Amino acid sequence: MIKKILVPLDGSKVAQKAAKYAVDLAKQTGATLTLLSIIDRRFIIEQAVSASASPTHLKELVEDYLKQSADAATDAIVNLCKLKRIKYKTVIRKGHPVEEIVGEAIRSKNDLIIMGSHGKSAFKATILGSVTYGVLHKEMKTPVLIVRR
């Protein structure tokens, strides 16, 4: 029985497609969703984002900008969960995406991970995205459902 579904989000179209699939599945099964955004530590530097590039139009640290981007990636899915009356929680972690997805799956005792086949990584030409590939090849008991573009 599926009671808890983990949905990693990175703002990509395929991640949003996977999340919508997860919302539909949660509606059918009564499952709770965990919407996970990860701030990749490799991109955190002590520099500021220019005011014109920032959603707030203020000069801000890159880490703050990445957190705002993570929040924005979940907004549409949160609204969909509310509309369809799906129980959910949002989680933002800092670290390596593969390790954080696997760690959250274990911590939250999820029954299923639903994620997109490709995200916003630099390896778009590969058959599977590098994060998706990494999660699939970790030794864990949680099944992974991959949603294609």
Side-chain angles (χ1 to χ4, degrees), residues 62-117:
V62 170
E63 184 173 353
D64 294 337
Y65 174 77
L66 292 172
K67 184 177 182 323
Q68 288 177 8
S69 296
D71 287 336
T74 62
D75 286 347
I77 303 306
V78 165
N79 291 335
L80 189 57
C81 287
K82 289 177 181 176
L83 180 70
K84 295 198 175 200
R85 298 181 183 180
I86 304 295
K87 292 181 184 177
Y88 70 93
K89 70 176 181 176
T90 59
V91 177
I92 297 177
R93 300 254 185 244
K94 286 186 241 174
H96 186 271
V98 172
E99 300 302 323
E100 292 302 325
I101 291 167
V102 170
E104 186 62 34
I106 293 166
R107 271 188 299 277
S108 297
K109 299 179 182 175
N110 287 279
D111 303 304
L112 179 65
I113 300 171
I114 298 179
M115 62 190 303
S117 59

